[in-house]
Amino acid sequence: MLVSNIHVAVRIRGPYCQDESAHYSIDDAEENNLVEGSRLLINKDNDSVPFDYVFGPKSTQFQLFFRCGVPLIDSVFEGFNACLFAYGQTGSGKTYSMLGSDGGRGSARKLDGLIPQIASEIFRRIKRQTADAEALLGMKNMSSFELTTSYIEVYKGQVFDLLSETGERKGLSLREEPTQTEGQLPHVYALGAKEERVDTTAYLLSLIERGSQRRRTEKTGMNEHSSRSHALLTLRLEHRWRPVGGREQSGGTSSSSYLSRVSRLLLVDLAGSESMEEAHQGMADKAGCSINLGLMCLGMVCTALAKKSKKVPNDSKPAKDKLVHVPYRDSVLTRLMQSSLGGHSRTWMLACVSPYQKRPDEGLRSLALARRVRTVQAKPAAQNRAIELKINDPMHGDVDDFDVALDRRAIWIETTKWGDIFARAAGNSSDPLLLYVHGSGPRNSSLEWNWLVFDIALRAQMMAKNLKTSKFYHVALDCPGYGRSEGDRQTIRSYPRAFLCDVIKSLGKKHAFGLFGCSQGACAVLNAAVEDSKISSYVSVYHPVGHDVKRYTRIVQPTLLVFDTEDAGHPVSVGRLMKRYLPCSHYFEFTASKHSGWVDCSPSQMALKFLEMIGDKAKFPRGNNLDDTGNSIRLPECARVGGGFNCWRYAHNREVKDWELTEEEEKYYRDNIRSFDGSFVNRGGGEQNPRAIWGG
């Protein structure tokens, strides 16, 4: 195992004003801002101290990043854990070096410290390496990265989450995560701290900005904005890749699995040590005492590690009488940093000093600790144990819906008799249920309902003032044997009521608010309503087929019927009989060759007529007086995640691609929905048929 010392860099803060005099300086020419392997000359004792790098008062943020940040990024992508912690007295420039001006509390766009530059470089490398893997192997999804972050502070000996959604300041307890490599110190984390997935530098910086605004700062006698807590930002990088060759791998890894390796980068902005006399006019300050205590424990840990490194030669085991106790557990701060300080991480210390302050001894103590830290031997071990994981994450490679209110996604409904049923869903599962059943065409599936679901959801929001119920839980089914659901295709024809009732109860509902059907699906919906008057409050069907329609006199629900007079496969004569026998019908028929707005844009018409029907209870009274939501505390919701927004939007296998609701069409529809009265407006002027939505 490679043995190396912890790296130490020193940054010297420039003067706030011209009349400040320095107590120590770089021993090279004053104009040199960076000296590799330089020695810091301390005027007081005429002593010079060697460090890896010394950054002068005129050094730039990029120089600091290039020398200290880039090696850390290299380590993380190589599979090593890495750490950088900034240490120094208050007012020495630690937070400025880590975040940038205003300590991260200002605009995220202005942050130029180590953390923002490290984040930008990580995302650049993720994009580059992913593209290189795709170009090399000639296929997608062979290699991917995921970056998550947590941001916590240690204040008065307690840990608080800076990314908490509620902003509640609740102390968190510490837990240990088992290590993959024997002999390594366990990773210590704060239980309950929010881990946020980040995909861009801008989003990460917005989280840092939010957390930094919550971080405790106060005006003291030594600094206008003095940090009163230690802040720890953890970037967790997971690399997942498929082994080339799949089942042919010698390790037996199958093509349905991938390998995963996790590495962490810990970035610590320590609060500065301070004198009670100068910082608080001689008054005891609890936060200041806690800061000094934590830093003292950190110093004791570093001193013990330095002694341990001197006693133990490289690649040899110490004798029992020479073992040195390292007091990691003396403080919360050192426990959180133990895996970084203990030698199993590639670690950098940034010692920030100010030679211009009234008490140079504080800076000298920081340099003395930095000198000890530089003697600590590290034995970083790469996280080479790549874990084989089955690809059973339905959100792998998918995303959440950008429209949080719609929340379009895919689900698997675990029915009691018919197995797992795939469905496309939208909305909150506690809202009234609208259930959609497709036709019997061999390529039919839940995808054919995407336009109607989208249309009803948007129009219901617009008409909310006129509707008692304006939010719905939309679930469009892949019936057994269709789409992604396994089973017998005759199920929906032979057992419509039993199947639909099982689905409804598996969704945690006693009944549905509305049942929708097209073609053979419409027949199934109507037959279910005949057999069970309490299966739903409303029924809506398009291109319905039916047998023995005299039975429909038993359907008590208000029923919307839509027929095309030119559709021989769904004869309008049957529709007129349905209108005659249904007790409460909302009937429409059209001629496709004359009324383009109906056949090509029928979802828009159907959405309007359905919302019109449920909004006029005087004209369309319910025959069963069911409650709207249908929720039951005795029925568990037996549905699991099946995919995200992409799974909802795009066609799968043999599904009809023309039914996809594309990004351009959705944007156009959102921008022009108020002008749609049942027919689309030509994007170039006049009426047109933009696309055919429905299949038989």
Side-chain angles (χ1 to χ4, degrees):
M1 184 181 295
L2 180 64
V3 178
S4 63
N5 290 2
I6 291 180
H7 298 282
V8 177
V10 176
R11 191 175 198 188
I12 302 175
R13 179 184 69 78
Y16 285 137
C17 54
Q18 294 182 353
D19 59 353
E20 286 185 307
S21 58
H23 295 277
Y24 37 85
S25 62
I26 299 176
D27 60 354
D28 295 72
E30 186 177 348
E31 63 268 15
N32 287 347
N33 296 321
L34 171 68
V35 183
E36 296 187 25
S38 60
R39 303 179 69 84
L40 193 65
L41 180 65
I42 303 174
N43 293 338
K44 179 180 179 181
D45 299 321
N46 197 28
D47 186 21
S48 64
V49 183
F51 296 105
D52 292 281
Y53 298 108
V54 174
F55 299 89
K58 296 181 181 179
S59 61
T60 65
Q61 296 281 62
F62 179 77
Q63 286 177 317
L64 181 65
F65 161 71
F66 185 75
R67 299 291 179 173
C68 301
V70 171
L72 294 173
I73 299 171
D74 292 339
S75 299
V76 169
F77 276 88
E78 291 169 7
F80 292 87
N81 290 331
C83 171
L84 185 144
F85 63 98
Y87 183 95
Q89 67 190 116
T90 184
S92 59
K94 299 182 303 301
T95 304
Y96 171 77
S97 297
M98 295 296 286
L99 289 171
S101 57
D102 298 325
R105 295 182 301 276
S107 171
R109 291 175 296 177
K110 297 180 180 180
L111 299 183
D112 60 353
L114 269 172
I115 293 175
Q117 293 190 75
I118 286 174
S120 295
E121 178 64 12
I122 287 176
F123 287 118
R124 186 196 68 79
R125 293 196 188 190
I126 287 175
K127 184 177 181 180
R128 180 71 269 161
Q129 291 192 19
T130 303
D132 287 347
E134 181 179 333
L136 179 64
L137 300 174
M139 58 186 76
K140 296 182 178 180
N141 300 323
M142 293 296 289
S143 175
S144 64
F145 294 85
E146 180 178 279
L147 187 72
T148 57
T149 185
S150 62
Y151 197 18
I152 61 175
E153 69 171 349
V154 179
Y155 177 68
K156 293 183 180 180
Q158 285 189 293
V159 181
F160 298 96
D161 185 8
L162 294 176
L163 298 183
S164 170
E165 293 182 352
T166 62
E168 179 184 4
R169 295 193 62 81
K170 180 181 178 182
L172 306 177
S173 57
L174 301 185
R175 293 290 186 272
E176 292 185 351
E177 182 179 287
T179 60
Q180 296 181 8
T181 306
E182 184 178 355
Q184 284 192 357
L185 291 170
H187 168 65
V188 178
Y189 63 96
L191 182 65
K194 182 177 178 60
E195 273 202 1
E196 191 89 22
R197 177 176 175 174
V198 288
D199 297 305
T200 63
T201 304
Y203 184 54
L204 176 62
L205 295 187
S206 69
L207 295 177
I208 293 174
E209 180 184 351
R210 186 177 79 191
S212 298
Q213 289 173 348
R214 293 176 178 175
R215 187 182 176 188
R216 297 298 185 103
T217 61
E218 288 181 12
K219 180 180 180 181
T220 68
M222 301 179 70
N223 195 0
E224 186 73 18
H225 296 285
S226 178
S227 301
R228 312 309 296 156
S229 66
H230 309 296
L232 295 87
L233 179 76
T234 301
L235 300 178
R236 179 183 180 275
L237 181 69
E238 181 178 6
H239 180 200
R240 294 182 177 184
W241 70 97
R242 293 179 188 268
V244 178
R247 289 186 173 87
E248 298 176 2
Q249 292 295 300
S250 58
T253 304
S254 69
S255 60
S256 62
S257 65
Y258 57 84
L259 299 177
S260 173
R261 183 172 65 189
V262 175
S263 53
R264 292 182 177 86
L265 174 58
L266 177 63
L267 300 165
V268 186
D269 178 20
L270 298 170
S273 59
E274 58 185 31
S275 162
M276 293 298 114
E277 181 180 348
E278 293 199 11
H280 305 284
Q281 292 77 46
M283 302 294 291
D285 178 73
K286 187 174 181 180
C289 292
S290 178
I291 290 170
N292 288 341
L293 178 62
L295 295 176
M296 182 186 73
C297 292
L298 178 60
M300 293 169 60
V301 166
C302 293
T303 300
L305 289 170
K307 290 181 180 179
K308 189 175 181 180
S309 297
K310 288 181 180 179
K311 288 179 177 290
V312 184
N314 289 358
D315 299 321
S316 65
K317 295 183 179 180
K320 291 185 178 179
D321 58 338
K322 292 187 177 182
L323 288 175
V324 177
H325 171 66
V326 183
Y328 294 115
R329 292 183 173 270
D330 283 4
S331 75
V332 171
L333 176 65
T334 51
R335 279 206 71 195
L336 288 167
M337 295 180 64
Q338 72 175 28
S339 60
S340 299
L341 297 171
H344 300 294
S345 173
R346 289 182 174 174
T347 302
W348 278 76
M349 174 184 181
L350 177 64
C352 296
V353 295
S354 174
Y356 304 96
Q357 292 181 321
K358 296 179 181 179
R359 294 179 60 92
D361 54 319
E362 291 285 344
L364 296 177
R365 278 197 286 268
S366 298
L367 292 174
L369 176 65
R371 180 162 47 178
R372 291 198 299 273
V373 168
R374 194 166 183 265
T375 66
V376 175
Q377 290 183 352
K379 297 180 181 180
Q383 310 303 304
N384 284 324
R385 184 183 170 191
I387 304 173
E388 182 181 350
L389 300 173
K390 295 293 181 182
I391 304 178
N392 55 6
D393 180 3
M395 290 298 293
H396 179 68
D398 212 329
V399 295
D400 292 328
D401 191 352
F402 66 91
D403 189 328
V404 179
L406 271 178
D407 190 20
R408 291 163 289 185
R409 71 246 186 225
I411 62 174
W412 284 98
I413 306 168
E414 300 175 358
T415 64
T416 57
K417 186 176 180 181
W418 317 99
D420 292 352
I421 302 300
F422 181 83
R424 287 174 165 89
N428 192 312
S429 61
S430 63
D431 290 331
L433 172 65
L434 299 183
L435 195 63
Y436 302 79
V437 185
H438 58 73
S440 59
R443 299 175 64 192
N444 282 10
S445 69
S446 55
L447 182 65
E448 72 177 64
W449 296 101
N450 279 13
W451 266 87
L452 182 59
V453 168
F454 176 64
D455 198 6
I456 290 178
L458 261 62
R459 289 188 178 276
Q461 291 177 16
M462 294 172 54
M463 301 168 62
K465 292 183 179 180
N466 302 321
L467 298 172
K468 180 181 177 182
T469 303
S470 60
K471 294 182 179 180
F472 303 100
Y473 180 37
H474 306 264
V475 177
L477 303 175
D478 278 4
C479 293
Y482 293 88
R484 275 172 268 199
S485 297
E486 296 182 356
D488 185 355
R489 288 193 172 189
Q490 292 300 317
T491 298
I492 191 60
R493 294 186 180 188
S494 303
Y495 311 101
R497 174 190 171 276
F499 171 69
L500 294 178
C501 284
D502 197 346
V503 167
I504 292 169
K505 290 181 180 179
S506 297
L507 291 169
K509 305 282 188 178
K510 295 177 292 184
H511 53 261
F513 183 78
L515 294 180
F516 287 80
C518 174
S519 185
Q520 187 62 48
C523 182
V525 164
L526 291 169
N527 286 337
V530 168
E531 296 178 32
D532 188 346
S533 63
K534 295 185 178 180
I535 195 172
S536 69
S537 298
Y538 296 93
V539 173
S540 297
V541 292
Y542 179 79
H543 282 335
V545 293
H547 309 285
D548 191 13
V549 296
K550 293 181 180 180
R551 298 179 303 123
Y552 292 176
T553 56
R554 294 157 55 186
I555 297 178
V556 299
Q557 296 92 335
T559 304
L560 172 64
L561 299 163
V562 179
F563 274 90
D564 178 5
T565 60
E566 295 179 338
D567 186 351
H570 307 89
V572 70
S573 58
V574 176
R576 291 166 183 167
L577 281 176
M578 291 181 180
K579 177 185 177 183
R580 175 182 172 185
Y581 288 108
L582 280 165
C584 185
S585 66
H586 193 31
Y587 182 83
F588 293 92
E589 62 182 54
F590 63 93
T591 303
S593 60
K594 298 180 180 179
H595 307 106
S596 61
W598 273 101
V599 68
D600 292 330
C601 312
S602 50
S604 185
Q605 283 283 14
M606 199 164 183
L608 284 171
K609 302 308 178 185
F610 171 73
L611 295 174
E612 177 184 297
M613 181 172 67
I614 68 172
D616 192 346
K617 294 185 178 180
K619 186 176 180 181
F620 304 102
R622 299 189 201 178
N624 48 25
N625 294 320
L626 301 175
D627 65 282
D628 286 351
T629 66
N631 294 329
S632 172
I633 59 174
R634 297 189 177 186
L635 293 174
E637 184 179 353
C638 300
R640 66 180 190 271
V641 176
F645 179 52
N646 290 335
C647 192
W648 181 91
R649 164 174 275 178
Y650 296 116
H652 175 74
N653 287 344
R654 297 180 66 247
E655 288 182 316
V656 181
K657 192 173 179 62
D658 284 345
W659 288 337
E660 290 180 352
L661 174 62
T662 67
E663 183 178 349
E664 294 77 12
E665 288 167 334
E666 177 170 341
K667 182 180 184 304
Y668 177 75
Y669 194 65
R670 286 178 182 273
D671 293 342
N672 297 277
I673 186 173
R674 294 183 182 278
S675 67
F676 296 155
D677 58 357
S679 61
F680 278 81
V681 176
N682 190 329
R683 303 178 195 189
E687 283 195 353
Q688 72 167 12
N689 304 335
R691 57 182 289 159
I693 302 298
W694 293 83

